[in-house]
Amino acid sequence: RDSSEAAQENRYALRAWQEYHHYIEVAKKKIEDGQGNGLFIDIHGHGKNPDGFYDLRTWLGYLISSEELDQSDEILNTNSYQSKSSINNWVDSSSYSFIEVLRGKVSFGSILDSLGYKSLPSENDLSPGGMRYFSGGYNTARHGSRGGGVISAIQIELPKPGIRENQSTWSSFSKTINSTISIYYNIHLNKNIEY
């Protein structure tokens, strides 16, 4: 959230909010100076849908709305949608097209899906199909590469069942997300592996 909503005029909360974003900016600057590209990940949990059911997929937010994701690859795979996404620079640095990085075989969601965690969007679940979906919030917009910048961002919304239930499920997922990030990085930025 922005500072007014996040801190709600509490000076201690405002200070914590300022420090949080300050340290992210410091880390981003170090990455920019040292490696040139980076990935900011904003992790949250999602609960039951308004209809009362749990969607057991991990939702990935790139600042592309549910309605936009419901469109065809041909419509989405444009410079216009890429530049408004939080992974704009990541795609520019990759040898793959925007749609492939967003929800194709080499997308974050497809990699995570192949490692046992169903994800949206991915090659197997292209779009929310009109369902409630978090497409990315303040942090994703502020720290991602929408419209420029070299740090890209993904908002990750995790269901409780199978991931956030207990220490064992958290531990298993943390190993998988670490592998996913590594594979995603190597495919798109190192460009030294086939997937």
Side-chain angles (χ1 to χ4, degrees), residues 47-171:
K48 291 180 181 177
N49 279 346
D51 319 1
F53 73 93
Y54 255 120
D55 183 345
L56 300 180
R57 296 172 294 183
T58 295
W59 300 344
L60 304 170
Y62 303 99
L63 304 178
I64 304 295
S65 73
S66 177
E67 294 78 18
E68 291 167 334
L69 279 175
D70 285 343
Q71 298 179 96
S72 70
D73 287 355
E74 293 72 31
I75 292 173
L76 271 178
N77 198 28
T78 64
N79 288 335
S80 175
Y81 282 112
Q82 178 186 325
S83 66
K84 73 172 275 190
S85 79
S86 59
I87 55 169
N88 181 33
N89 182 264
W90 197 270
V91 177
D92 280 346
S93 301
S94 174
S95 57
Y96 292 92
S97 71
F98 173 60
I99 203 69
E100 291 172 306
V101 178
L102 179 70
R103 65 184 183 193
K105 183 179 179 182
V106 294
S107 68
F108 195 90
S110 293
I111 297 165
L112 191 56
D113 194 81
S114 75
L115 296 175
Y117 292 91
K118 298 291 182 199
S119 300
L120 171 69
S122 69
E123 190 176 32
N124 293 324
D125 286 300
L126 299 176
S127 77
M131 177 192 81
R132 182 185 79 146
Y133 168 78
F134 297 120
S135 60
Y138 177 84
N139 290 340
T140 309
R142 177 173 174 168
H143 298 296
S145 58
R146 176 176 67 179
V150 298
I151 306 296
S152 292
I154 302 172
Q155 180 170 312
I156 301 177
E157 294 279 345
L158 303 170
K160 185 172 182 178
I163 295 178
R164 298 184 294 120
E165 285 178 84
N166 55 52
Q167 181 61 40
S168 176
T169 56
W170 261 122
S171 179

Side-chain angles (χ1 to χ4, degrees), residues 1-14 17:
R1 307 288 184 265
D2 65 23
S3 61
S4 60
E5 186 178 355
Q8 298 184 13
E9 300 180 20
N10 179 296
R11 67 181 179 160
Y12 301 108
L14 178 60
W17 182 92

Side-chain angles (χ1 to χ4, degrees), residues 26-39 150-151:
V26 168
K28 285 168 58 178
K29 180 73 172 130
K30 285 184 178 182
I31 291 167
E32 289 171 17
D33 293 345
Q35 297 178 340
N37 296 78
L39 184 63
V150 298
I151 306 296

